[in-house]
Amino acid sequence: MTVKLALLLVIIVGFVFLPTTVFMLFGMLPTIAVFATDRTVGRNKTICIGAMNFSGCFPFLLEFWTEFGQQTVDNALRLIGQSETIIVIYMLAAGGYAINKAVTGITVSIIIQRNERRLKKIKSEQEKLVKRWGEKVTGQYALDDYGFPVKPIPEKKKEEDDKPDKEPDKSDGQNEKSNDQNTEEK
Amino acid sequence: MGEDEDIDITAKDDSEPKEEQEKPIVEDKREKKLAEKLGGGIATYEDKYFIDLNSELDEYSTDTVKAYDAGNSKSKPRGLFAVICNPMYTPRTNVTHNYKKMANSTLPSLVEHGRIILPDGKARYCYIYQNNLGERVYNSDENIALGWKTEKLIETLVIPIYNALSDLQNRDVTHGNIRMSNLYNGGSKDFEKVKLGECLAVPASLNQPVIYEPTERAMADPIGRGEGTIKDDLYSLGVILAMHVRNFDPQRGKSEDDVIAAKVVQGSYGALIGSSDRIASGVSDLIRGLLADNDKLRWGLEEISEWLEGRRPNAKQPLKVKKAARGIEFMGKKFFYARTFAYRMNQSPQECIPLIEGNELKHWIERSLDDREMMARIELAFQSAKEGGTGVGYWDRLLPRISIAMDYQAPIRYRGMALHMNAIGNAMALAFIEKRGMANFAELFNNGILYFWISTLADLNMDVAEYIQLLDKVRGFLRQGGMLNGMERCLYFLNPSIHCLSPLVEEYYASSPQEYLKALESVAKVKAPNYPSTIIDQHAACFLISRDTRLIEPHAYDLTSSQDFRHVIATLNILAGIQKFNNMEPLPNLTEWICSILDPVIERYHDTEYQKKLRKDIESKKEDGDLSKILILLESPEKVKKDQVTYRRALAKYRELETEKQVLIKKMQKPKYFSERTGQEWAATISGVISVLIIIGFLLVHYGTDVPL
């Protein structure tokens, strides 16, 4: 209900300030396009591109409000039609795309590396625990009241446990782009 | 077995037996275990006395024990003699302490006794005496008839042996070895007073021929005669005196069974001194009194004292043994006396079954013997035997009961054994050592024969409380399972003098917990480094609990546990306890042994680092040979608690890490779900910051400080 009211309000304001609305409509087109396709939680991509897009629109918007003449739809269209305007606005929007891509890529890489390091450390700590306390510390075996296995630990199981843990599949991250549309957030 | 016809036997006894009529001596089936050959060398007793195993002394040796020269000097031990006990037989350590306190010139002076170490490292029990007995007076116990005069008899035999027996009785010790071949001249051929030989190395009466024993003891196996009483010693004295005063031996050439039969039929006096033999009346009274078959009527020391003073003690008429009007035929012979029939019956049990099944025995007792009390006992015997059914084992239960009913004074007979109640311990010991016949004892305890015997005595108003208590305890041990019960426990309970028969230490003759520990030390030295995995087995456990309950009872549960570590820690506790309470010397070899089996205990600590430290500490303490120090390292409650606490923390920590690992793995399988979101958040943030900076920068550039907003 609140959303509908807010939407109604936006529409009313939009009509009241129609020239600005027209200008912003064309100026923020990259953001609108991203918004339509962005399925991420929080729509961070939209925010990223939208912020840069807006920063591109702002000087021209200010100019439209102060120096350009009367605030009419024709003037708004004339302003947006200037090549300088379009180039600046869309370049900055492209910058937003670039920032999104670069930062995301770098972050993913950092996180993956950090996780891998952490996994190695966990494995190492677990091995130390096993070395110090025995296989029974893994919790895989039923223990009596004193903490000793109820049944003897079979030798084969020990050998299997000694094999290195399976490495996580990194390829999923690289294939993320193709699966982007099917992303589901938990 | 000789015929029981009065007339025939009397006729035979009246004259010197002619060679052609002499009966062959029946082979004695009750074999004694001969003394072992020890080889040469010097055996040592606590580095104080030395025994020359190359110098055997025939004078003091018997079939069952050997005697050797002994002394203080290692190079040529002399001045003493040592009797080395036969490991098959239990020495009389229960009376040794009292004997040692005596100082009687008729008896050998006991210098020392205890465990000696043979040259090969094994051990034996040994008695060391002063070597002042002289030579053996008689080399045989057979065919002796010396026709001595009364005065010589009194001076040479009666007074010294009476004095010895008086001293022994004051110390509550029976001799049990009074016989002709155990008399010595004190070193002088014209001796005036005889000396008695040693009596402690074998069970009482083991080496006594049947002629020296009252009938009921003679009927028993040599190992089954029991400790005996002063009255039995006096009987033996009576036999010796009879042999000295008579002019011929009525039992010459007779078998042991014939001698026993003669004693039953004619009485001991009649059997030993022929009716035609003329003996001075004074000494005849003495011998008659000493040879009374009923031990209540037999002369004691008081009567002898009176007799020596010239007074005539009151003559007690012996009870006449009931003779049947008609004999019962068995094995080609006719028997007129219940005692002799019962004795013979048990030598051929299978053959008497038809007599019993056909009621012939019952009829004989009822009509020919006319003994209603005996008949009542026979009926009870049948009833009692039938309680276990009449199937398998019925005759094994019935025959001993019938034997008891017919002759309750006789030894208890079962499957070829003939034992008195207080000799069961010694007989069991022999069975264990020989490793045969144990099942017979278990059956004897469990099938009610002993209770039947006790109830028979109780019906005759005899004091049986002690026997009931004993038997109840024994049956309790057999009923309960486990390491601290069973036949082994019965053995050590019934035979408090026996050494530990655990296979590990049997040859080291450990007869006390301290000696057990020393034996283990020797075993450890020999077996290193291939130590047996178990130290205290059932024999050792039963031996230790019988010798000192305090040692084992606190650890009984752990010792009998199926869990290795419990058994090991209990073993260490017990051995450390023995070492500590007896202030024993260090035992480095035993310590090494026990440390080799400590793994299950060490591994009860979860922390392998602590295990390593513990092993290191144990390694460093091992050489001290102090088991208590090892125990302290292992049984620290604070360390156990700390180990448990840190282990629980480790378990929780591992779980935590595993959870984190699973989460990370999941995240990395689909990085766009987790990592990209973070990246995009950062991108949005950075983008937002850059866009704000761009806007602010534009405003500053375009308007300076005059921002139209």
Side-chain angles (χ1 to χ4, degrees), chain A residues 40 44 48 51-52 59 115-116 118 126 131-132 136 145-148 165 168-169 172-173 176 179 184, chain B residues 603-604 606-608 644 647-648 650 658 660-661 664 668-669 671-673 676 680-681 687 691 698:
Chain A
T40 61
N44 291 308
C48 179
M52 291 302 286
N115 285 350
E116 282 173 5
R118 180 65 189 148
Q126 284 183 327
K131 192 176 172 191
R132 183 167 176 187
K136 56 188 185 295
D145 293 341
Y146 298 100
F148 290 95
D165 288 337
D169 188 2
D172 283 352
E176 180 273 335
N179 293 333
E184 283 183 13
Chain B
E603 284 165 11
R604 288 304 287 184
H606 296 284
D607 189 350
T608 53
Q644 276 290 323
Y647 172 61
R648 299 287 168 196
E658 186 65 23
E660 190 187 337
K661 184 173 110 180
L664 282 173
M668 287 175 68
Q669 280 170 353
K672 66 182 175 180
Y673 290 146
E676 285 189 7
Q680 284 167 357
E681 282 171 4
S687 171
S691 67
F698 168 75

Side-chain angles (χ1 to χ4, degrees), chain B residues 351-413:
Chain B
E351 285 74 8
C352 71
I353 290 175
L355 283 179
I356 297 168
E357 273 181 329
N359 287 329
E360 203 176 321
L361 177 65
K362 275 190 186 175
H363 291 149
W364 179 69
I365 293 169
E366 214 170 3
R367 295 167 192 168
S368 299
L369 211 49
D370 193 22
D371 190 331
R372 288 188 186 177
E373 283 176 10
M374 189 183 293
M375 195 60 223
R377 291 196 297 270
I378 294 280
E379 289 298 336
L380 278 172
F382 274 93
Q383 275 174 34
S384 171
K386 277 179 184 160
E387 278 170 16
T390 54
V392 173
Y394 171 66
W395 289 102
D396 286 333
R397 290 193 302 277
L398 178 61
L399 292 175
R401 282 169 167 84
I402 290 179
S403 168
I404 291 167
M406 292 179 75
D407 184 4
Y408 59 85
Q409 291 173 314
I412 297 160
R413 296 159 175 140

Side-chain angles (χ1 to χ4, degrees), chain A residues 138-159:
Chain A
T138 61
Q140 293 172 11
Y141 308 100
L143 302 176
D144 61 22
D145 293 341
Y146 298 100
F148 290 95
V150 170
K151 291 179 187 173
I153 297 173
E155 287 296 324
K156 283 184 186 174
K157 191 82 173 113
K158 280 185 183 176
E159 287 168 8

Side-chain angles (χ1 to χ4, degrees), chain B residues 533-594:
Chain B
S533 55
T534 303
I535 299 179
I536 299 182
D537 59 9
Q538 188 165 10
H539 259 291
C542 293
F543 167 77
L544 289 170
I545 201 171
S546 299
R547 296 295 178 266
D548 192 344
T549 320
R550 294 172 307 167
L551 289 173
I552 287 209
E553 267 203 341
H555 313 289
Y557 175 75
D558 285 342
L559 190 68
T560 55
S561 168
S562 57
Q563 292 176 301
D564 279 351
F565 77 95
R566 286 195 190 278
H567 179 84
V568 171
I569 201 68
T571 301
L572 178 58
N573 264 297
I574 291 164
L575 299 181
I578 296 173
Q579 187 181 29
K580 186 178 174 185
F581 291 128
N582 293 288
N583 294 317
M584 289 179 69
E585 68 275 17
L587 304 165
N589 294 298
L590 177 59
T591 309
E592 177 82 39
W593 181 2
I594 201 147

